[in-house]
Amino acid sequence: MRKFLIFLSAFLILLLGLWGTAVFMLDEARLKQLAVEQIEERTGRTMTLAGPLDVQFLPRIQLVARDVTLTGPPDYDGPPLFTADAFRMSVALWPLLRGQVETGALGLEDAELTLHTDRAGRTSLDGLLAPADSPSSDASSADSAGPSGERPDVRIEAIRLTDVRLVVSDARDDTVQRFLLERFELGEFRFGRPVPFTFRGEIGDPPVLEGIVLTGSLDVPPGDGPIRLSGLELAATSGDLRLGLDGSIVLETGAVPEARLEEGRVRIGDQSLAVSGRWRGTPRPSVRAEVRGESLDVDALLATLPAGDEAVPENSPSPLLVLRDMDADGDVVVDRMRLGGLPLTDVRATLVARNGVVTLDPLAAELDGGAVRAFARADLNAEPPRLVLRPSFELDSLSTALAPWGLDRFLAGAGSLQLDLSGRGLSADALLASLDGAGDYAFRDGEIRGLDLDGMVDALAARDVVAAVRDGVGGTTTFSEFSGPLAVRDGVVDLSGLTIVTERLGVGGTVRLGLADLSLDGRLRLAGERLQRVPLALGGTLTAPRLTPDLGSAVQEEAERRVMDFLQRRLQGEDESDEEDSNEEDGDGAGADGSGG
C-alpha cells in the first residue's frame, strides 16, 4: 500500500509538471512568437498574426490563427502571398512541448492567395520549399534532405483551402486572372509520392467557368523534374453548356512554366473530342492545341451563348471569351460538323487567337452537293463581338446544298457562290438579323421552282393578264444561266442586277429576300421573241410567291418610250431641215458665182 501511494504521488507530480509546461508553452503570446520565429527561420518571410490565436485540443491539438498575413520573399515588390481570416495548423504535442513545431494538416479559410510576379521577375512563391542547400533552409531540414539541389523532406498530413480567392497577376504587363477555390483538398503530402486532390470552384471574376469539380493525383518530385497531375477528371458549366476534360498534365517549372496535356479528351455537352496541347505561362499565356473527333455541333454550342443585338457584358458566360485573355493556335480535324445549319464532313480548320481576335483560316470542308472553303474572324473585344465571314461555295447540286434550310424546293442547278459578310453577336439569330456584306453568284442548268416565266409568254403576248398570272405561278422555270451580284443589309438579301436566261426569255431586275421570314419584293423585266420588256411585280414569300404584270410600270415605261421616240423624231426632223437649208444656201451661192463669171 505504501509503495502504491508513493507511485501515485510521483505520477501526480509528473502530471502537474507536464501541465505547467503545457500551460507555459500553449500560452497565446508564446505560441504566436514561436510560430512567427519558425516561419521566418524556414522561409525568410514575415507572418503577421493580427487576431487571436486559439488552441483546440480535440480531436487533436490544432492552432487556429485569425487575421493572418504572410509576406513575399526578401527584395520582392508586390502584395503578400496570402491574407486569411483563419489559418489552421495541427501540431504534434511532444515536439511542441520541446519548443519545436511539427505540422500536421494545414488549412486556409476565407483567404486571398496571390501568385504575383513583380517587374523584376521575382514571384511571391520564390524561396518556398527551397532546395536543401539554399540559404533559407535550416540545419534540420538539410540533415533530412537528399543530395544537393533536392527539396527538403517535407511531410504534411493534409492541405485544405476553403473559400479562397486565387489571384494570378503580373506587374510586367498588368495582367490579372482570378479563380475561386470553394474547396481544395490535398491528401497526405510528401515529395516524390502521388497525392490525391479535389478542387471545387470557378474561374474568372465574374466567372467564365462555374461549378468546377476537378479530381486527380499530384506528384511533386523531390528534386528537379516535372510536376505531374494524373488521372484528371474535370466537370464544369458555362451558362447552360456542360464542359469536361480528362487526361494528364505534365508541368515543367522554370523561368517560363509550361504545361503539356497528354491523352486528353474534352467534352462539350454530349460531344467528346480528343485533344492534346501545350500551355506556356508567358506574361500573356499562350496555348497550342490539336482537336480531333468524329462529330462537333457548333450550332449547339452557339445556342448556349448570348443572343440578340445586345452587347455581350463582362459577366457573359461564353467560354469563347476566355480567348480575350490568352493567345491560341490550334488545328481542328473533325469527321462531321454542323455549322450554320450545314452538315459538313471531312472538316479541316486552323485557329489563331491573338489579343482577343480569333481567326479561322482556312476552314475547308465537304458538304452534300459540293464543297466550301471559308475565312472567319471574330473580334471578342468589341461589344457585341463582331464577326467577319468570307465563304466560297463550289456546288455540284444546289438543291442538295440548300436542303438543310428547306430551300431545295425553290432552286436547283450547279455553280458557285462567294460572300463577304459581317455581323454582330455570337448566336445564329443575332448574326442573321445583323448581316451586312456583298457577293456574287453564277448558277447554270437549273430550275426556279414556284414560277414558270416561260409559261407566261403566250398569255402576255395576247395581253391576257389573268391567264399569264395563272400560267406563271406554281410552275417551274428552267434556266441556262442565273447570275449576278448580291448585297446583304440588316438581314435582307438584295439581288439587284440579276440575269436569268431561259429557252424563251432573257430576264433582268431586282429582287429582295428577307432571311428571317423569306419575304419577297422586287421587279422583273421579261424580254423575248414575242415580248418587249414586260415588267412584272414580285411579292409574297418563297413559299407563296405573287407574280403580277406591273401595269403602272408598263404605262410609265410606254410613256417614257413614246416621249423618247417623239424627241428623237423631232431632233431627227430638225437635223434634216438644217441639212436642206444648208444645201439651198450652197446652191444659191454657186449660181451667183456662175453668172458673175
Side-chain angles (χ1 to χ4, degrees), residues 16-39:
L16 288 174
L18 289 175
W19 175 254
T21 304
V23 168
F24 172 74
M25 294 301 302
L26 299 180
D27 173 72
E28 179 178 349
R30 172 64 177 167
L31 284 175
K32 282 187 176 183
Q33 180 184 359
L34 186 62
V36 169
E37 289 175 353
Q38 296 239 353
I39 289 293

Side-chain angles (χ1 to χ4, degrees), residues 406-407 409-410 448-451 472-474 511-522 537-547:
L407 300 179
R409 49 183 170 157
F410 306 117
I448 301 173
R449 296 163 181 170
L451 296 174
V473 176
V511 176
R512 287 177 293 277
L513 170 65
L515 293 175
D517 55 5
L518 300 182
S519 60
L520 290 171
D521 178 37
L538 181 63
T541 64
L542 273 178
T543 56
R546 294 195 307 270
L547 188 63

Side-chain angles (χ1 to χ4, degrees), residues 228-525:
R228 297 182 180 274
L229 299 171
S230 305
L232 294 179
E233 295 185 7
L234 179 145
T237 60
S238 179
D240 296 327
L241 184 65
R242 292 180 292 107
L243 301 172
L245 177 67
D246 300 335
S248 298
I249 293 178
V250 179
L251 176 62
E252 300 280 356
T253 59
V256 179
E258 293 189 4
R260 185 172 67 252
L261 176 63
E262 299 177 343
E263 300 179 353
R265 196 149 198 95
V266 63
R267 299 186 303 278
I268 306 174
D270 295 327
Q271 306 170 80
S272 178
L273 301 166
V275 60
S276 60
R278 181 183 294 271
W279 170 88
R280 284 175 55 84
T282 50
R284 181 178 177 85
S286 63
V287 174
R288 170 69 189 170
E290 181 176 294
V291 178
R292 293 179 176 270
E294 296 181 357
S295 177
L296 177 62
D297 191 338
V298 178
D299 291 348
L301 171 61
L302 294 178
T304 67
L305 305 182
D309 294 329
E310 298 180 358
V312 177
E314 287 294 328
N315 61 356
S316 166
S318 169
L320 291 178
L321 298 185
V322 172
L323 295 177
R324 282 178 174 174
D325 302 319
M326 69 169 57
D327 295 335
D329 294 87
D331 294 316
V332 179
V333 180
V334 181
D335 295 338
R336 299 183 304 278
M337 176 187 291
R338 178 167 289 276
L339 176 63
L342 284 175
L344 306 177
T345 58
D346 194 20
V347 181
R348 302 289 186 273
T350 299
L351 179 145
V352 176
R354 295 288 185 274
N355 300 315
V357 178
V358 184
T359 302
L360 276 176
D361 184 25
L363 169 65
E366 302 293 322
L367 71 158
D368 292 343
V372 60
R373 187 178 179 88
F375 164 90
R377 183 176 65 242
D379 185 354
L380 302 178
N381 300 309
E383 295 188 0
R386 296 192 62 84
L387 179 71
V388 173
L389 182 62
R390 300 188 188 119
S392 176
F393 297 89
E394 293 295 333
L395 304 173
D396 300 322
S397 174
L398 182 57
S399 60
T400 303
L402 294 175
W405 295 309
L407 300 179
D408 52 320
R409 49 183 170 157
F410 306 117
L411 199 60
S416 62
L417 170 65
Q418 287 82 35
L419 298 171
D420 188 349
L421 305 172
S422 64
R424 299 179 298 277
L426 294 174
S427 71
D429 291 341
L431 287 173
L432 284 178
S434 62
L435 276 182
D436 287 316
D440 58 79
Y441 55 95
F443 304 132
R444 64 186 182 276
D445 303 328
E447 296 178 342
I448 301 173
R449 296 163 181 170
L451 296 174
D452 184 2
L453 299 178
D454 282 348
M456 302 179 69
V457 172
D458 294 332
L460 289 174
R463 301 183 181 277
D464 188 344
V465 175
V466 175
V469 173
R470 182 188 64 237
D471 296 340
V473 176
T476 297
T477 298
T478 301
F479 63 81
S480 59
E481 177 187 346
F482 183 4
S483 62
L486 65 83
V488 182
R489 294 290 182 273
D490 297 326
V492 176
V493 179
D494 189 339
L495 303 178
S496 297
L498 67 84
T499 297
I500 303 174
V501 178
T502 73
E503 182 181 359
R504 307 182 68 182
L505 291 170
V507 183
T510 298
V511 176
R512 287 177 293 277
L513 170 65
L515 293 175
D517 55 5
L518 300 182
S519 60
L520 290 171
D521 178 37
R523 299 290 184 272
L524 298 178
R525 286 177 175 79

Side-chain angles (χ1 to χ4, degrees), residues 2-308:
R2 182 172 175 274
K3 290 182 178 181
F4 174 75
L5 291 175
I6 293 173
F7 173 78
L8 181 59
S9 299
F11 181 72
L12 290 175
I13 292 172
L14 177 62
L15 284 180
L16 288 174
L18 289 175
W19 175 254
T21 304
V23 168
F24 172 74
M25 294 301 302
L26 299 180
D27 173 72
E28 179 178 349
R30 172 64 177 167
L31 284 175
K32 282 187 176 183
Q33 180 184 359
L34 186 62
V36 169
E37 289 175 353
Q38 296 239 353
I39 289 293
E40 185 170 0
E41 182 181 355
R42 290 173 179 269
T43 68
R45 298 160 184 256
T46 300
M47 175 178 279
T48 302
L49 306 177
L53 180 63
D54 299 328
V55 180
Q56 299 175 355
F57 291 94
L58 295 176
R60 59 181 305 174
I61 294 180
Q62 184 174 211
L63 305 181
V64 183
R66 303 288 179 180
D67 196 5
V68 181
T69 301
L70 181 64
T71 65
D75 300 325
Y76 157 82
D77 181 20
L81 177 61
F82 73 79
T83 59
D85 179 69
F87 173 58
R88 296 179 178 271
M89 179 173 63
S90 63
V91 296
L93 176 59
W94 293 111
L96 182 63
L97 294 178
R98 297 195 303 269
Q100 298 176 355
V101 178
E102 290 189 6
T103 59
L106 300 176
L108 287 178
E109 297 176 6
D110 193 13
E112 182 164 294
L113 177 61
T114 304
L115 306 184
H116 179 75
T117 303
D118 66 15
R119 297 188 182 279
R122 296 180 294 260
T123 75
S124 56
L125 293 177
D126 287 352
L128 287 179
L129 302 180
D133 57 352
S134 170
S136 63
S137 301
D138 63 6
S140 61
S141 61
D143 293 340
S144 61
S148 177
E150 291 192 354
R151 296 183 174 93
D153 186 16
V154 173
R155 178 178 178 180
I156 302 175
E157 287 185 5
I159 297 176
R160 298 184 183 91
L161 306 180
T162 305
D163 293 332
V164 172
R165 297 169 298 281
L166 174 61
V167 181
V168 182
S169 57
D170 195 321
R172 294 171 295 181
D173 62 354
D174 295 326
T175 57
V176 179
Q177 300 178 62
R178 301 181 186 276
F179 306 83
L180 175 62
L181 285 66
E182 295 178 357
R183 188 168 184 82
F184 175 80
E185 296 183 1
L186 185 68
E188 182 179 356
F189 178 80
R190 296 191 71 175
F191 290 117
R193 296 184 182 182
V195 182
F197 70 89
T198 301
F199 165 79
R200 298 177 184 270
E202 58 190 35
I203 296 177
D205 184 18
V208 174
L209 293 178
E210 300 178 282
I212 298 175
V213 178
L214 174 63
T215 60
S217 65
L218 170 68
D219 188 351
V220 181
D224 294 334
I227 298 173
R228 297 182 180 274
L229 299 171
S230 305
L232 294 179
E233 295 185 7
L234 179 145
T237 60
S238 179
D240 296 327
L241 184 65
R242 292 180 292 107
L243 301 172
L245 177 67
D246 300 335
S248 298
I249 293 178
V250 179
L251 176 62
E252 300 280 356
T253 59
V256 179
E258 293 189 4
R260 185 172 67 252
L261 176 63
E262 299 177 343
E263 300 179 353
R265 196 149 198 95
V266 63
R267 299 186 303 278
I268 306 174
D270 295 327
Q271 306 170 80
S272 178
L273 301 166
V275 60
S276 60
R278 181 183 294 271
W279 170 88
R280 284 175 55 84
T282 50
R284 181 178 177 85
S286 63
V287 174
R288 170 69 189 170
E290 181 176 294
V291 178
R292 293 179 176 270
E294 296 181 357
S295 177
L296 177 62
D297 191 338
V298 178
D299 291 348
L301 171 61
L302 294 178
T304 67
L305 305 182

